[in-house]
Amino acid sequence: MHIDIVSVLPELLESPLSHSIMKRAREKGLLQVEVHALRKWAVNSYGQVDDYQYGGGAGMVMMCEPLVNAIDELSVKAPFDEIIYLTPDGEKFNQKIANQLSLKSRLLLICGHYKGIDERVREHYITREISIGDYVLSGGELPAAVLVDAIGRLLPGVLNDETSALFDSFQDNLLAPPVYTRPADFRGWKVPEVLLSGDPKKIEDWRYEMALKRTSERRPDMAG
Ligand code: ADE
């Protein structure tokens, strides 16, 4: 899987994609992520990539030219399966979309800033628009990092124990059951007996029951 990201603040993406599982995925060559500074395609030597909006109003708009030149140049190597714009008015990201995107081989993520990007880029280049939730962030970088993490961990070979992604919350429309580690008794707070029973069938049944309970209590909307 190859993911290119275009951003006016590439530094914001460095840390989230350089540790833990993402680091390993990249080192193993299972995930290639390239972050590109949009200013490389700026319209002048001042590094301009945005301008005032037509019709007036506060806030700058990211210009067509730098974005289109960036997309065209990055598409030369091979076409993208999806060109994704991170925006609060996109479709809301969830596990199903992460699963779908993890099956693609080349993605381009465009991070917006200020008032967003010129509508014509959305109309003519963007194939999918994604929001990570109903709140507004200062830019698309953190949302892009969220997408890369959610997608990257699904790639075969990225997680040590491949089955673990299958049992994540949301993969089977259920929240994950509670988990415990040592000690079995901490300040008198005991780990449920069944988990110490050594009976895999009983443990599996308990976990399923707890997942159902947790889902119906916390997310009744997921059950239907
Ligand atoms: N850019 C700003 N806020 C965002 C959000 N909630 N999701 C995706 N991109 C964004």
Side-chain angles (χ1 to χ4, degrees):
M1 156 83 74
H2 187 104
I3 303 179
D4 287 290
I5 307 177
V6 171
S7 158
V8 286
L9 279 174
E11 301 82 10
L12 263 182
L13 282 153
E14 270 164 27
S15 178
L17 303 178
S18 308
H19 299 281
S20 178
I21 292 170
M22 289 303 104
K23 180 178 176 198
R24 238 184 306 131
R26 295 174 79 175
E27 282 171 356
K28 283 189 189 166
L30 301 167
L31 173 66
Q32 283 108 40
V33 184
E34 277 183 67
V35 184
H36 308 274
L38 182 62
R39 293 205 199 279
K40 192 178 150 200
W41 292 277
V43 294
N44 55 35
S45 57
Y46 302 109
Q48 186 184 358
V49 293
D50 60 349
D51 211 334
Y52 296 102
Q53 54 176 316
Y54 278 117
M60 306 292 272
V61 174
M62 289 167 69
M63 303 166 83
C64 286
E65 192 181 326
L67 285 166
V68 162
N69 285 338
I71 298 170
D72 283 346
E73 189 178 322
L74 296 172
S75 303
V76 166
K77 248 193 276 169
F80 290 102
D81 297 312
E82 296 277 10
I83 301 177
I84 300 170
Y85 174 45
L86 285 313
T87 174
D89 59 4
E91 61 181 319
K92 212 185 288 176
F93 192 53
N94 58 26
Q95 193 62 50
K96 188 169 159 221
I97 300 175
N99 292 347
Q100 281 172 2
L101 294 176
S102 74
L103 302 173
K104 311 277 184 187
S105 31
R106 269 176 74 77
L107 299 177
L108 175 57
L109 308 184
I110 306 288
C111 305
H113 258 269
Y114 325 116
K115 278 279 164 200
I117 68 175
D118 190 300
E119 188 67 18
R120 291 166 292 185
V121 179
R122 298 174 73 159
E123 282 169 10
H124 296 284
Y125 274 87
I126 301 297
T127 61
R128 198 154 187 176
E129 302 190 325
I130 294 179
S131 160
I132 63 160
D134 289 344
Y135 41 83
V136 178
L137 299 166
S138 347
E141 284 75 14
L142 298 179
V146 166
L147 252 70
V148 174
D149 190 301
I151 295 165
R153 62 196 298 287
L154 296 173
L155 302 176
V158 168
L159 295 183
N160 283 337
D161 175 359
E162 268 205 57
T163 59
S164 64
L166 295 177
F167 294 110
D168 284 346
S169 283
F170 305 110
Q171 280 299 11
D172 47 10
N173 244 6
L174 286 177
L175 297 179
V179 292
Y180 300 86
T181 186
R182 286 187 291 184
D185 183 339
F186 176 71
R187 297 184 179 172
W189 306 331
K190 300 215 170 56
V191 169
E193 203 65 49
V194 57
L195 296 178
L196 312 176
S197 69
D199 182 336
K201 172 77 172 77
K202 260 201 207 158
I203 294 173
E204 193 190 328
D205 288 349
W206 180 85
R207 285 185 172 148
Y208 183 62
E209 217 175 281
M210 295 307 284
L212 281 176
K213 181 167 179 280
R214 194 156 265 201
T215 308
S216 70
E217 281 170 5
R218 299 180 182 204
R219 292 293 304 273
D221 58 300
M222 280 171 63

